[in-house]
Amino acid sequence: MISDLGFVLMLLGAAIVMFIVGRPRMDGVALVVIVILPLSGIVSIEEALTGFADPNIVLIAALFVIGEGLVRTGVAQRMGDWLVATAGQSEARMIVLLMIIVAGVGSVMSSTGVVAIFIPIVLRIAARSGTNPGRLMMPLSIAALISGMMTLVATAPNLVVHGELERRGFEGFGFFSFTAFGIPMLVLAIVYMLFARRFLTSEQIADAPNRPQFSTWIDQYALAGREHRLQIRPGSPMIGQSLGELDLRSSEGLTILAIERRQRLGRQLVQPRADTRLASSDILLIDYFNPGGDIADVVQRLALRGLPLSGAYYTDYAQEIGMAEIMVPAGSDLIGKSLVQSQFRTHHDVSVIGLKRGRKSVSQSLAHVELALGDTLLVIGPWRAIRRLQADFNHLIVLGLPRESEEVLPAPDRAPFALAALALMVVLMVIGIVPNLTAALIACLLMGLFGCVDFKSAYRAIHWQSLVLIVGMLPFSVALQRTGGVDIAAQALLDIAGATGPHLVLATIFVVTAGLGLFVSNTATAVLMAPVALGVADALGASPYPFAMTVALAASAAFMTPVSSPVNTLVVGPGRYHFVDFVKIGTPLALIALCVNVVLVPIIMPF
């Protein structure tokens, strides 16, 4: 038995060393464990592979998919936009709101995914205010880690500990079992970061060369003031007419860029084509370019009504309507033809709203200008049409896409369905009428049904490395229990702190778990420490819940090094941090988490 335990400990030590040096990668180490442990005879191959059938593993995968649905539909991005609008230029207010939002979103999706979503948002905020991203990236990572203390499904270690309880025959944690600890921890962390931010770099960063934005082209092509949002009133001569029949560009200087049409579940943005027929109450997004003309006269004659615009030249429609600069190359069929003659919009589904010949912008009406070699056209239209232009090398060359193209969401109109699916999952988990896994799978199916995710994005969203890591480390739990390692570790903890009472035992478990998490991922730490903590509870004759909760909370308190969690690793580059930054900021915060744990856990979950 001792020799078997020695082998397991040697293999565990080797796995930890490989985790520390990063070779091979973590999931590779997990696969090595899956292969070697059955060869020793301590566990069977079936037991080594049991993790692949663990409901909690499938639940974690489902949560990755649900998080992807929130990203693709823009739910998370809208929260970021609200954050920018609300916080303004106040750094303190920004930190408070950022940490609250990140912790809230992270409570129902992967904390790693939350950080990936908010990194570009934080970078935009920093660029806009001229501050160093390092002032905001550390609060971002800390809030994402604390989000793991909010709900059962917030992070993988919670589910690992929950699964260990169920394997021991106990009832697992409830959905909100963690919330009573997470909220006080979040409040303390916010207060702490408002003080500790002074130790993070505050120097301003120079503006880096950026890709053009909508605003860049609006200035270069003098588009400001040309945009109009007009509604067709009853009795308008345009009702029932097709755009081809009206030919508004030639007759009035009006280019219809899109048509807002009210639907039962909201508005639909209709792409204008020659055969598109207009209806009463349609809202037209217009580019009016008619030197010497009067838009007020056009509005009156065509029985239109002017509506307000909230963004300069339709920047508020950037999720649906894009821009691009394109050039007419040698050999193009467009050379010598006007836009009308070439039926440019009919063939390419975009409208030309600006033209440069050399460096000079053409100021006359564009409809009948003959295109020449090297002309640069500014086009506007649906993003999918602009993407198609990139493949048309014979007739056009796409010179550049604006920065807004990086932020276009695949399914922005599906956001209500994504929120509904998420809400249903949370309600089902809280009520408990179906297992947590079933609730998550129902939410995944609903997101697929309503187009929030597709199969390709769903599979891509799952962090397979994390799943394989958990599955590969689970056999250690079985092996350590079978060889007596769990009992020995539990007795060692009792020998160290048992004589002074269970509170010090909890503190010791927290310190050991957090200390192990300095070198091993918090998920692997939870896998190793959960059975030890429950063994301590058995030895003390105490309830297993405070000890299991301590492991979960300590696994989420991975503040002290950049390798403690992928959450920290993600912000190192954008925040321009060094290893010592995490030690300096994270160590006091980990001590605060220790105090919260020792004080609150015995009160809420008595021994």
Side-chain angles (χ1 to χ4, degrees):
M1 184 67 70
I2 297 298
S3 61
D4 286 345
L5 176 59
F7 177 82
V8 173
L9 293 177
M10 286 177 57
L11 183 58
L12 176 59
I16 291 175
V17 171
M18 286 186 282
F19 284 143
I20 294 173
V21 300
R23 292 181 181 274
R25 34 183 263 183
M26 289 188 295
D27 50 340
V29 176
L31 291 174
V32 170
V33 171
I34 290 176
V35 172
I36 293 180
L37 268 180
L39 292 177
S40 69
I42 299 172
V43 298
S44 65
I45 186 64
E46 290 80 9
E47 290 172 323
L49 296 174
T50 301
F52 285 109
D54 191 320
N56 290 304
I57 299 297
V58 183
L59 174 57
I60 294 170
L63 292 174
F64 279 120
V65 176
I66 292 168
E68 178 70 5
L70 297 177
V71 174
R72 286 170 56 87
T73 56
V75 173
Q77 188 183 74
R78 289 186 178 96
M79 288 184 177
D81 293 340
W82 175 85
L83 170 64
V84 174
T86 305
Q89 297 297 314
S90 171
E91 184 180 273
R93 191 183 305 131
M94 179 66 67
I95 289 175
V96 172
L97 293 175
L98 176 66
M99 294 184 72
I100 291 174
I101 291 175
V102 169
V105 176
S107 68
V108 290
M109 66 178 287
S110 160
S111 56
T112 305
V114 171
V115 171
I117 293 167
F118 274 87
I119 281 176
I121 294 173
V122 170
L123 287 175
R124 287 203 309 272
I125 295 171
R128 185 175 302 174
S129 60
T131 58
N132 195 297
R135 300 279 286 185
L136 298 175
M137 286 294 172
M138 189 72 76
L140 168 62
S141 66
I142 288 172
L145 288 169
I146 292 175
S147 73
M149 304 178 186
M150 291 292 181
T151 66
L152 173 64
V153 300
T155 187
N158 293 357
L159 294 168
V160 167
V161 175
H162 169 79
E164 186 65 27
L165 281 170
E166 292 183 327
R167 278 188 289 274
R168 296 290 189 98
F170 298 104
E171 184 179 350
F173 288 123
F175 187 85
F176 290 114
S177 296
F178 297 80
T179 310
F181 310 104
I183 291 178
M185 187 61 212
L186 177 61
V187 172
L188 291 173
I190 291 173
V191 174
Y192 171 75
M193 282 310 303
L194 291 176
F195 167 77
R197 63 190 169 123
R198 69 185 64 184
F199 299 109
L200 296 171
T201 180
S202 59
E203 62 186 24
Q204 292 194 340
I205 54 175
D207 291 334
N210 290 321
R211 292 171 61 179
Q213 298 176 268
F214 281 0
S215 58
T216 307
W217 288 334
I218 289 172
D219 292 338
Q220 290 179 356
Y221 289 89
L223 301 180
R226 288 171 42 175
E227 69 275 28
H228 297 276
R229 188 165 172 258
L230 306 175
Q231 186 175 35
I232 300 177
R233 295 188 296 176
S236 170
M238 302 171 68
I239 295 174
Q241 298 289 309
S242 70
L243 297 183
E245 293 168 344
L246 291 169
D247 192 18
L248 294 172
R249 182 161 194 166
S250 296
S251 61
E252 304 288 356
L254 295 179
T255 301
I256 298 180
L257 306 179
I259 303 169
E260 282 187 50
R261 189 163 285 170
R262 298 295 174 184
Q263 303 291 326
R264 183 176 302 173
L265 297 178
R267 70 175 177 89
Q268 177 189 13
L269 213 62
V270 177
Q271 182 178 338
R273 291 193 169 93
D275 58 353
T276 302
R277 294 193 176 275
L278 300 177
S280 179
S281 298
D282 278 353
I283 298 173
L284 311 178
L285 305 185
I286 298 289
D287 175 83
Y288 180 66
F289 187 41
N290 185 11
D294 184 0
I295 185 63
D297 178 61
V298 175
V299 168
Q300 184 176 2
R301 283 191 290 105
L302 297 180
L304 303 173
R305 178 188 297 114
L307 298 177
L309 282 165
S310 57
Y313 207 88
Y314 307 116
T315 52
D316 51 333
Y317 289 85
Q319 283 295 326
E320 297 148 307
I321 302 176
M323 289 185 187
E325 272 193 324
I326 61 178
M327 178 180 284
V328 180
S332 172
D333 292 344
L334 297 173
I335 295 176
K337 295 181 180 178
S338 69
L339 297 175
V340 172
Q341 291 170 336
S342 64
Q343 297 182 309
F344 191 93
R345 184 162 73 178
T346 300
H347 291 306
H348 300 289
D349 290 331
V350 294
S351 301
V352 177
I353 56 173
L355 189 155
K356 282 184 181 179
R357 189 152 285 166
R359 294 188 176 184
K360 186 178 180 181
S361 179
V362 175
S363 58
Q364 66 190 85
S365 180
L366 304 179
H368 299 288
V369 174
E370 291 187 357
L371 300 179
L373 171 64
D375 280 354
T376 301
L377 310 178
L378 181 66
V379 299
I380 186 170
W383 284 111
R384 61 181 180 276
I386 290 175
R387 298 292 183 189
R388 286 198 300 268
L389 288 176
Q390 292 180 293
D392 188 3
F393 299 109
N394 295 323
H395 302 287
L396 297 165
I397 297 174
V398 176
L399 298 178
L401 297 178
R403 194 189 308 168
E404 285 84 354
S405 65
E406 301 172 355
E407 302 171 8
V408 176
L409 301 169
D413 57 332
R414 305 284 92 186
F417 300 106
L419 287 172
L422 176 65
L424 177 63
M425 180 193 76
V426 172
V427 169
L428 291 176
M429 287 181 172
V430 172
I431 296 176
I433 58 176
V434 296
N436 289 339
L437 174 57
T438 303
L441 291 177
I442 289 173
C444 288
L445 290 174
L446 289 175
M447 284 200 172
L449 177 65
F450 293 117
C452 305
V453 294
D454 53 27
F455 279 108
K456 182 182 292 186
S457 63
Y459 282 114
R460 189 173 58 245
I462 298 173
H463 197 263
W464 298 103
Q465 182 178 351
S466 296
L467 298 185
V468 173
L469 172 63
I470 298 172
V471 169
M473 295 302 290
L474 283 175
F476 270 127
S477 175
V478 177
L480 287 171
Q481 292 178 54
R482 188 163 293 169
T483 58
V486 169
D487 294 333
I488 294 174
Q491 188 59 49
L493 286 174
L494 290 174
D495 291 341
I496 295 172
T500 57
H503 287 80
L504 188 56
V505 174
L506 283 187
T508 305
I509 292 174
F510 188 100
V511 171
V512 172
T513 304
L516 187 59
L518 295 176
F519 312 103
V520 183
S521 79
N522 56 358
T523 301
T525 300
V527 172
L528 296 174
M529 288 301 299
V532 174
L534 295 184
V536 170
D538 286 341
L540 290 174
S543 166
Y545 294 105
F547 299 90
M549 179 61 71
T550 295
V551 171
L553 295 178
S556 288
F559 310 119
M560 291 180 282
T561 73
V563 297
S564 302
S565 168
V567 167
N568 294 345
T569 306
L570 284 174
V571 302
V572 170
R576 302 176 185 180
Y577 295 128
H578 302 288
F579 191 96
V580 70
D581 291 320
F582 287 89
V583 177
K584 181 172 57 179
I585 301 296
T587 302
L589 190 58
L591 293 175
I592 292 173
L594 170 62
C595 295
V596 170
N597 181 88
V598 173
V599 172
L600 287 184
V601 168
I603 295 175
I604 299 173
M605 295 180 172
F607 295 112

